[in-house]
Amino acid sequence: MADATISAVFDVYRFDPSKDREPRYQRFALDLAPHTPVLSALLQIRAEQDPTLTLRYSCRSAICGSCAMQVNSKSRLACETQIGPEMERHGRIVIEPMRNQAVLRDLVVDQQPFWQRYDSIEPHLILDPSHPMPEDRATSMTPAQVERFKETPRCIACAACYSACPAVSADPAFPGPMALAKLYRFVVDPRDSATQERLVRIQPNGLWLCLRCHLCTEACPKDVRPSERIRDLKELAIQVQGGTEAGSKHAIGFKENIRERGLLSEMKLVRQTSGVVGLAAQAGQGLRIWRKKPEIARRPHRIEGLDEVEKIYEALDRPPQEGS
Amino acid sequence: MKLAYYPGCVAQESGKELDLATRWVCRALGIELAEFPTFSCCGSGFVDEANEVLNVAINTRNLAIAERAGLDLLTICSTCQGMLTLANVRLQDPAVKRRVDGALKPLGIEYRGSVKVKHLLRVLTEDVGLAAVKAKVVRPLNGLKVGAFYGCHLLRPADEMQWESGEEPHAFEDLLEAVGATPVYYRGRVMCCGFPIQFVKAETAQRIAAHQIDDAKAHGADAMATPCPLCHISLDSFQNQAARTVGHRLDLPVFHLPQVVGLALGASPEELGLARHLVPTGPALAKVAPSLRA
């Protein structure tokens, strides 16, 4: 027996930059089964109520990545998001275009910058000319080698991660979660000969702007887990180069900082990351905070059992390979 | 109820007011805090970036300390909560566990995996319970509109943190209602505060912080409240710089979670360390009771 229908209310973002001065929300009401995908509802709205509603879609099976949009502020594929839970949680379904991309019309956004960032990481194998791929057979990888990047090939380039990312919103220098997850895939691919160059190039080009907020990992419909791949890239970059950027200096500085006393020495960390000049530049702000919170200048107490922490470092923290 | 109290670094130093407020609230609600001078820093996400297995190992040591005492762990920082939980999760990978055990066993440290890591927000909403918190309210925060600001690592990745929805949580708003405040729902409540890149690119970090503060204000908040002292640094200690970066005033007080609860349970502003904030909390306090001064 079919599910009973529910009265679903859609507030759909409408905007035609060639005509409208600003966007508006148009309300549509439909009686639908709770398991109805948002995309099916929108297509029904277009067929029955407003033929001008503009959206991008193709496969309706969560494979093509075309129908990503915001459903109640979450970046989602419309074809695999059911209306029932959304109505239950929010009492209505607000449909908006993806964020961080200019709206061309209604729910269709300009994906050009997203693809430009993807292209910037050179998303193809870079081969060593002295070791050409054999022409008569496929190159093989061991299961362990494939295991290292098993999540990334699942990516369908829907840009849900790009839409969810606050670093993309705030800074055009950040390549975005998908581009970095794809970069990781080539960095660890044993057939690629440019691993080190790729890591050296990305360090000053946005790698350390990732906030590790994991919003991309929540948004990703294919469980690529971009934030975790970005973390992996950071560790690999440090292994190759050590601390060359503020971000890698900060991560290394933090690691060394807590080794000394077991707890963080806040002022020392600022000096480790920013240097004496950076510390001086922050002096005004530091003073302002110190007046209210004098502990900021204090060294923390030494924890008991610090020798255990030291031994854990000795066992697991090998110094980065200098100059390699 | 007795828990192993893991204050984290900031609450022991520049965020001392968070520690003060936590102790006050726990005393008021009958939560006994066991203290361990052996706890180390959780690595704050930065050690995880530099060396994942090392980060798991130092947190496994922290977890083992609580396990030896037979206690679950109480955190008061979203990032501590995230890193300690992550250690529990990553230890399920046999390759990680082998390396961590290899470093810890020679020190006589063994961790069986029994410790639950619980943030104060979860303890108050689930273990103490909203009804019990509400029953102790003597100064309901009527009329105070508060924008909860969760802090990423308390929620995400949601399949690893195993608690609230990663994008649509409600525990903090439920708690705010229980103490009489009016929760403000705004998109920024689950967003990033910018803290992780404060020392990478301050301007970007500040723009992100300002965005969330503006969002809370646009939805009518008189104040924000956060369960994370690192968010508090970004939103309160650096709010003046965020305002300068975006070129307009922000002026929004930011409470630590136990300060909001403590206020409702009758603590004085001094007992909660409110005078230590960079953004004055006075205007928000005046909405609760005209006589209150930070």
Side-chain angles (χ1 to χ4, degrees), chain A residues 76 89-90 170-171 231 234, chain B residues 48-49 167-168 204 207:
Chain A
R76 291 288 185 272
R89 215 170 295 142
H90 299 276
D171 199 320
R231 191 222 66 83
K234 288 173 174 172
Chain B
D48 183 44
E49 292 176 332
E167 295 161 299
E168 298 177 322
T204 303
R207 205 173 301 128

Side-chain angles (χ1 to χ4, degrees), chain A residues 105-171:
Chain A
R105 184 164 164 176
D106 295 343
L107 304 172
V108 175
V109 295
D110 178 9
Q111 296 187 321
Q112 207 56 35
F114 167 72
W115 288 111
Q116 276 164 3
R117 283 175 168 84
Y118 175 57
D119 287 341
S120 75
I121 62 109
E122 293 192 65
H124 51 83
L125 284 176
I126 297 174
L127 300 172
D128 180 350
S130 62
H131 292 91
M133 286 252 214
E135 277 176 20
D136 52 343
R137 62 189 164 83
T139 43
S140 59
M141 281 186 274
T142 65
Q145 285 170 329
V146 176
E147 178 76 14
R148 283 193 79 189
F149 59 86
K150 63 176 192 295
E151 292 96 349
T152 332
R154 295 200 291 251
C155 175
I156 54 174
C158 65
C161 60
Y162 188 86
S163 166
C165 177
V168 168
S169 311
D171 199 320

Side-chain angles (χ1 to χ4, degrees), chain B residues 28-30 131-139 264-266:
Chain B
L29 293 171
V133 173
K134 199 169 179 175
K136 295 260 185 181
V137 170
V138 296
R139 185 196 286 139
L265 267 48

Side-chain angles (χ1 to χ4, degrees), chain A residues 8-228:
Chain A
V9 177
F10 293 85
D11 286 327
V12 182
Y13 178 101
R14 305 299 305 268
F15 185 47
D16 180 350
S18 69
K19 288 199 306 219
D20 304 331
R21 283 177 52 190
E22 52 187 49
R24 67 197 159 90
Y25 288 82
Q26 189 175 356
R27 179 158 285 202
F28 300 98
L30 294 171
D31 287 337
L32 296 166
H35 61 256
T36 306
V38 166
L39 178 60
S40 303
L42 293 174
L43 294 179
Q44 192 175 333
I45 287 169
R46 193 176 68 171
E48 297 174 358
Q49 301 193 37
D50 189 337
T52 67
L53 178 63
T54 307
L55 69 158
R56 204 182 245 141
Y57 71 98
S58 180
C59 78
R60 309 191 200 194
S61 305
I63 293 167
C64 75
S66 299
C67 68
M69 59 184 68
Q70 288 192 89
V71 180
N72 285 328
S73 290
K74 304 178 296 286
S75 297
R76 291 288 185 272
L77 294 180
C79 67
E80 65 161 14
T81 306
Q82 298 185 352
I83 63 161
E86 294 301 321
M87 281 303 297
E88 213 167 286
R89 215 170 295 142
H90 299 276
R92 62 175 185 154
I93 303 173
V94 180
I95 300 291
E96 294 165 307
M98 283 196 285
R99 294 170 83 86
N100 296 333
Q101 294 153 94
V103 174
L104 297 176
R105 184 164 164 176
D106 295 343
L107 304 172
V108 175
V109 295
D110 178 9
Q111 296 187 321
Q112 207 56 35
F114 167 72
W115 288 111
Q116 276 164 3
R117 283 175 168 84
Y118 175 57
D119 287 341
S120 75
I121 62 109
E122 293 192 65
H124 51 83
L125 284 176
I126 297 174
L127 300 172
D128 180 350
S130 62
H131 292 91
M133 286 252 214
E135 277 176 20
D136 52 343
R137 62 189 164 83
T139 43
S140 59
M141 281 186 274
T142 65
Q145 285 170 329
V146 176
E147 178 76 14
R148 283 193 79 189
F149 59 86
K150 63 176 192 295
E151 292 96 349
T152 332
R154 295 200 291 251
C155 175
I156 54 174
C158 65
C161 60
Y162 188 86
S163 166
C165 177
V168 168
S169 311
D171 199 320
F174 186 59
M178 178 249 201
L180 289 172
K182 292 280 191 178
L183 176 65
Y184 168 81
R185 176 243 176 284
F186 290 104
V187 162
V188 298
D189 190 315
R191 300 166 298 177
D192 194 271
S193 66
T195 293
Q196 296 211 357
E197 293 85 333
R198 288 180 189 275
L199 289 169
V200 168
R201 208 178 317 135
I202 199 64
Q203 275 230 61
N205 283 296
L207 174 62
W208 293 98
L209 291 174
C210 168
L211 299 153
R212 56 182 143 79
C213 68
H214 300 296
L215 282 161
C216 54
T217 291
E218 295 301 317
C220 177
K222 294 293 168 185
D223 205 26
V224 170
R225 311 186 76 81
S227 51
E228 294 179 0

